[in-house]
Amino acid sequence: MLFGVAYGMLGSVHDAEDVLQDTAERWFRLSVDEQRAIRVPAAWLRTVVVRRCLDVMKGQARQRERYRGIWLPEPMLSPEGATPNTPAEAAERAEGVSFALVLAMETLTPVERVSFVLHESFGVPFVEIAETVGRSVESCRQAARSARKRMAGARELSPDLQAHENARAAFVLASATGNLDALIGILDPSARVRSDGGASVKAALRPIVGADRVAGYLLGLLAIQRTRREGLRFLPCRVNGLPGLLIRDSGGIIGVIDIAVSGRKIREIAIQVNPEKIVVPAELRGSLREN
């Protein structure tokens, strides 16, 4: 749960892990008597995590002002059909950390984000949230209401696994065959694609919007990359617990694709090709050796 809170607030696996490490170190610096004096250790740990995240977010805001192109969160990756065995994997199953929602949270203020993540995703009472952030209960309740309104579009995206799997299969088939009409057909008319290449990989600097434009952009991009890369292909995986894709060439994993589905159509596509944000966990690397 603590990892889910940190990742939901920060959109970075690295930063979330650092926050948890800092929190654990702070806990173990307490004496046994000090630990026993804490009536609800889980609430204490959550408070430390949230306050540390708020500090980290200030630094993130400054970094993103200088960021080249579109900033996307760092995806959490796992094999197809994996069951959660670690806190990170369990956090993937939480509604509040789907890739689309984490990306949409970038539009929220820090207090809105804290209130939304804690109350909507983990059911933390507003009294506890208020104590954590040093605001009134009503202020936190209002922040949560505001966040719900601003997140409404992202929350409409279906978390249904079968809908995602069907959309992903159709996306892969249309992309592999270069079928423009088929690709347009599986995209929502308002579909949008965003790419994050960071400072080292060339990517579109602005979102591409509209089914026709998105389909043309994706097929054109694939055609160019196939002439430059040997063995370019898609591999299925879970991205933040939902069906997504890895982009692989003869040299290894070069990208991650997250799709967000509205009804049976793909409405959002996020392409992460910044190598600093692609971390393939050991259990997923093992399954990839077979491919």
Side-chain angles (χ1 to χ4, degrees):
M1 187 273 287
L2 293 174
F3 182 90
V5 170
Y7 177 76
M9 290 182 63
L10 301 175
S12 166
V13 175
H14 284 120
D15 289 344
E17 289 175 342
D18 286 346
V19 165
L20 261 64
Q21 180 67 30
D22 291 345
T23 302
E25 290 175 358
R26 182 171 173 182
W27 171 261
F28 287 112
R29 282 198 299 267
L30 299 175
S31 68
V32 173
D33 288 341
E34 287 173 327
Q35 290 178 354
R36 288 175 176 169
I38 297 172
R39 289 180 298 174
V40 186
W44 184 92
L45 291 166
R46 186 171 58 237
T47 297
V48 174
V49 165
V50 168
R51 291 176 178 172
R52 181 72 186 109
C53 284
L54 290 171
D55 290 338
V56 173
M57 287 169 65
K58 295 175 184 176
Q60 285 184 333
R62 290 190 292 269
Q63 292 174 358
R64 288 171 195 171
E65 288 175 358
R66 303 188 297 268
Y67 199 81
R68 182 182 182 277
I70 298 170
W71 182 92
L72 294 176
E74 181 183 335
M76 291 193 293
L77 305 176
S78 56
E80 287 281 274
T83 55
N85 297 311
T86 68
E89 291 170 358
E92 290 178 2
R93 275 61 176 178
E95 176 191 358
V97 293
S98 73
F99 197 85
L101 281 176
V102 173
L103 180 55
M105 283 181 202
E106 286 298 302
T107 66
L108 305 180
T109 68
V111 173
E112 286 175 339
R113 198 180 305 191
V114 171
S115 300
F116 182 85
V117 170
L118 292 185
H119 186 73
E120 297 295 315
S121 300
F122 298 100
V124 178
F126 286 116
V127 172
E128 292 186 27
I129 297 173
E131 293 175 354
T132 299
V133 299
R135 297 288 189 93
S136 69
V137 173
E138 182 54 35
S139 174
C140 292
R141 187 176 285 112
Q142 176 58 41
R145 283 196 294 266
S146 175
R148 281 194 296 271
K149 290 178 182 178
R150 296 169 69 177
M151 297 287 287
R155 299 186 83 188
E156 289 173 0
L157 300 174
S158 171
D160 181 76
L161 283 176
Q162 191 60 55
H164 270 74
E165 288 172 355
N166 292 344
R168 180 180 63 180
F171 175 86
V172 171
L173 180 60
S175 300
T177 58
N179 191 325
L180 179 64
D181 290 338
L183 187 53
I184 292 172
I186 63 170
L187 297 174
D188 185 89
S190 62
R192 174 172 56 175
V193 60
R194 287 177 277 193
S195 305
D196 179 351
S200 56
V201 178
K202 186 176 181 180
L205 299 179
R206 294 181 178 83
I208 310 297
V209 181
D212 291 0
R213 294 186 65 206
V214 168
Y217 167 76
L218 290 173
L219 292 184
L221 184 62
L222 281 171
I224 292 171
Q225 291 300 317
R226 286 190 176 111
T227 65
R228 298 176 178 175
R229 297 182 180 275
E230 182 180 348
L232 189 72
R233 62 194 187 278
F234 295 136
L235 297 176
C237 73
R238 286 289 192 263
V239 179
N240 289 48
L242 291 171
L245 294 164
L246 298 174
I247 309 171
R248 186 176 188 176
D249 67 5
S250 58
I253 303 302
I254 60 171
V256 179
I257 298 178
D258 175 81
I259 62 172
V261 177
S262 177
R264 298 182 179 180
K265 303 282 189 178
I266 298 174
R267 197 169 81 188
E268 296 276 354
I269 301 172
I271 306 176
Q272 184 57 265
V273 288
N274 182 347
E276 295 181 0
K277 295 185 181 181
I278 300 174
V279 179
V280 182
E283 64 274 17
L284 180 54
R285 286 199 300 270
S287 68
L288 294 177
R289 293 192 189 101
E290 302 173 1
N291 297 292

